[in-house]
Amino acid sequence: MKKFILISIIALFMGAKTGYGQPAVSQNQKTQWFTDSRFGMFIHFGLYSIPAGVWDGKISGRNMYAEWIQKQGNWPNGIPDKDYQALAKQFNPIKFNAEEWVLEARNAGMKYIIITAKHHDGFALWPTKVSSYNIMDASPFKRDILGELSKACEKYQMKLGFYYSHWQDWEYEGGAKPPIDEFKSVPPPVQVTDAQFEKYWQQKCLPQVCELIENYHPAILWFDTWAKPEIITDKRLDELIGLIRKLDPNCLINSRILMRHPDIASKVDFLSMGDNEFPTDIINQPWETSGTMNYSWGYHQLDYHWESTKSLLAKLVGNVSRNGNFQLNIGPKSDGTFPKASVRRLREIGAWLYVNGDAVYGSGPCRAKNDNWGFITCKKLGENKKRLFLNIVNWPENRELVVKGIDQLPAKVYLLETGQVLDFIPYPENGITIRLPNIPIDPKITVVVAEY
Ligand code: FHN
């Protein structure tokens, strides 16, 4: 179902063919920084980082989402709310250092960070006045994680956004609980009435969103729902969007604020795909995929499904070639450090972007089509100047790179990392064949530039 809705949204925005370096997208000034950035960090951090996917010695149920342990631990019953909420007394990430996080993101080549201010469990990572279920009042840590991050981001010119779970809230009585149709626990999760939800909406959700904007001026508010429009009604949707627009017209809003709404694309600033969903066509509106390095979003001590750096990079350039961003998740450990497996990948990605960033930042789709060997990104540099970046993921065995769908011969073709000039000849029907070196200069992705 989720997928069907996304495909419908995407279909609305697909289509217009683009010339080289001329993404056929209406990027207004407000979203320009987001589109130019292309790469951001998502952070899932909260009480769930303590059990890290394991409760009473058992791996938690339905899937490997560690941040769902309150409802998935001791599957299919879930953990009693009071037992889960007691984790707050242990939440003490003494190694948390906001500057270290921001520098790790910056060195990875990321331009923005979005952190879970409040995930579905309802626990706030800032000293909210709206509920005592927060880091200052309920944990021994007693520091404002969002405040410290906000300062560090300002210092290092990193944009900061907040994930806010506006629909699911497992602490507040009226907050939505997991939908029965997809959550097969026994007994089934209790659903809230509209009146209860309205109370939550007015007394926790809206006031907290207000606080987040007034206290920290986030660049993005990233909402997360797959709710039916009967719950987040048009009235509620307009109320929430109206509030944000009034308090900060520059704050960007994503489409998961209500992704099932038929007009959602025109109400928000960018589209969020499904988790780890990578579209195969150009979408003519700012958009992003949020993705994980392994399965879980929150830190999971038994999730060993780590993806290779090469594959993560291919997702990044693949999205850029379709006008999209990639928001790569980190699930910090409960002491406040990033897992080593995440750090290695971040640093390898950073090293790649240090050399090849031109193919990503400020770049977008072009008319030449992606091929089995990889992805083509494009940057316009002036009236008649542009660069095509041929991001080679699969090195052709015969060392001949065929690029189709270009109606002009480039002035020069070279490797982005070293400047080594490569020979090329025309390929029948609007293409060129480039003679590659014996081995790729970077076995992850080698970038060849075709300059016009
Ligand atoms: O239920 C959440 C999940 O825990 C995680 O936060 C992801 C991130 O995109 N969003 C929801 C599922 O789509």
Side-chain angles (χ1 to χ4, degrees):
M1 185 61 177
K2 244 162 108 181
K3 205 152 197 162
F4 166 77
I5 293 153
L6 275 171
I7 289 166
S8 322
I9 292 175
I10 291 164
L12 281 173
F13 289 93
M14 272 173 26
K17 291 260 191 264
T18 57
Y20 308 141
Q22 297 163 332
V25 287
S26 51
Q27 292 159 325
N28 61 35
Q29 281 179 324
K30 188 175 156 188
T31 51
Q32 189 72 50
W33 74 263
F34 177 78
T35 308
D36 285 347
S37 299
R38 291 300 185 206
F39 191 34
M41 179 181 279
F42 210 2
I43 300 180
H44 278 66
F45 191 44
L47 301 184
Y48 43 81
S49 313
I50 302 172
V54 177
W55 194 264
D56 273 347
K58 277 192 297 201
I59 193 162
S60 76
R62 194 176 64 145
N63 59 28
M64 284 201 108
Y65 281 10
E67 68 283 4
W68 272 78
I69 198 162
Q70 184 175 353
K71 300 293 171 193
Q72 299 191 165
N74 191 25
W75 183 256
N77 303 307
I79 298 167
D81 288 344
K82 64 169 181 18
D83 292 355
Y84 178 83
Q85 286 160 6
L87 288 171
K89 295 196 202 88
Q90 294 173 44
F91 192 59
N92 200 13
I94 45 171
K95 293 191 181 157
F96 166 72
N97 180 321
E99 291 204 8
E100 274 176 25
W101 281 16
V102 174
L103 286 175
E104 203 64 73
R106 194 169 83 154
N107 292 338
M110 292 158 156
K111 305 292 184 190
Y112 60 97
I113 294 176
I114 298 178
I115 181 167
T116 47
K118 185 197 87 167
H119 201 263
H120 304 336
D121 62 3
F123 184 77
L125 285 189
W126 80 100
T128 171
K129 295 199 172 64
V130 176
S131 151
S132 59
Y133 195 41
N134 75 65
I135 193 151
M136 198 64 79
D137 297 324
S139 87
F141 192 53
K142 300 206 178 302
R143 277 164 55 188
D144 178 1
I145 289 194
L146 301 192
E148 291 182 29
L149 264 179
S150 173
K151 279 206 189 85
C153 282
E154 205 177 325
K155 179 166 170 188
Y156 295 108
Q157 283 116 50
M158 176 76 65
K159 298 267 190 191
L160 179 64
F162 298 137
Y163 171 113
Y164 185 84
S165 179
H166 61 312
W167 170 51
Q168 294 286 309
D169 188 305
W170 304 333
E171 181 255 346
Y172 200 95
E173 195 198 4
K177 308 298 178 263
I180 295 183
D181 51 347
E182 52 180 87
F183 211 81
K184 311 266 179 248
S185 64
V186 182
V190 176
Q191 302 299 297
V192 296
T193 64
D194 192 65
Q196 286 171 321
F197 189 77
E198 181 62 17
K199 190 164 172 225
Y200 155 75
W201 190 254
Q202 297 298 339
Q203 297 194 355
K204 185 166 182 184
C205 175
L206 297 180
Q208 284 199 326
V209 169
C210 218
E211 268 186 3
L212 287 173
I213 299 176
E214 287 177 342
N215 295 357
Y216 311 104
H217 314 289
I220 296 175
L221 277 171
W222 202 97
F223 295 101
D224 198 6
T225 179
W226 54 107
K228 297 188 179 125
E230 300 92 79
I231 302 168
I232 311 279
T233 56
D234 274 348
K235 180 175 167 292
R236 290 187 179 122
L237 183 64
D238 290 347
E239 208 171 3
L240 180 53
I241 294 180
L243 177 75
I244 300 164
R245 301 294 189 219
K246 189 177 99 202
L247 293 175
D248 184 357
N250 287 322
C251 179
L252 304 186
I253 302 173
N254 72 327
S255 61
R256 282 212 221 166
I257 196 166
L258 188 54
M259 65 181 191
R260 292 187 181 204
H261 195 289
D263 303 326
I264 200 62
S266 62
K267 289 178 182 281
V268 299
D269 302 298
F270 65 91
L271 304 176
S272 291
M273 300 299 112
D275 295 352
N276 288 299
E277 185 177 23
F278 297 89
T280 50
D281 289 293
I282 295 171
I283 302 173
N284 295 320
Q285 183 175 8
W287 64 271
E288 56 88 15
T289 297
S290 292
T292 46
M293 292 186 181
N294 48 0
Y295 288 158
S296 183
W297 298 87
Y299 173 63
H300 195 307
Q301 54 181 301
L302 298 179
D303 182 355
Y304 304 122
H305 307 90
W306 293 93
E307 208 169 309
S308 69
T309 302
K310 173 174 177 144
S311 154
L312 295 168
L313 280 170
K315 288 176 172 176
L316 171 63
V317 289
N319 271 16
V320 176
S321 78
R322 293 158 186 140
N323 190 42
N325 288 19
F326 186 32
Q327 200 170 287
L328 183 56
N329 182 71
I330 303 292
K333 296 164 86 166
S334 61
D335 64 1
T337 59
F338 288 177
K340 283 189 178 149
S342 303
V343 172
R344 172 163 75 80
R345 284 159 180 77
L346 287 177
R347 292 185 185 179
E348 286 173 356
I349 292 172
W352 187 88
L353 280 166
Y354 171 71
V355 174
N356 299 299
D358 216 13
V360 168
Y361 308 122
S363 285
C366 63
R367 197 172 57 197
K369 284 200 180 65
N370 291 333
D371 214 326
N372 288 337
W373 50 257
F375 304 101
I376 307 179
T377 58
C378 198
K379 185 177 283 172
K380 186 164 180 164
L381 301 167
E383 212 22 63
N384 294 313
K385 280 189 82 181
K386 49 220 166 194
R387 276 187 201 137
L388 292 196
F389 300 98
L390 314 170
N391 299 272
I392 309 172
V393 182
N394 305 307
W395 198 253
E397 269 176 31
N398 65 1
R399 295 166 41 217
E400 286 185 358
L401 189 77
V402 176
V403 188
K404 294 178 199 152
I406 48 178
D407 44 21
Q408 224 185 326
L409 289 182
K412 185 179 163 191
V413 172
Y414 57 94
L415 292 180
L416 182 54
E417 178 163 343
T418 59
Q420 182 183 346
V421 173
L422 304 178
D423 291 333
F424 64 92
I425 50 169
Y427 181 85
E429 293 175 35
N430 299 341
I432 53 170
T433 302
I434 299 168
R435 189 77 182 144
L436 297 172
N438 287 346
I439 48 165
I441 186 132
D442 189 329
K444 293 186 285 303
I445 296 179
T446 290
V447 181
V448 171
V449 183
E451 192 143 306
Y452 288 85

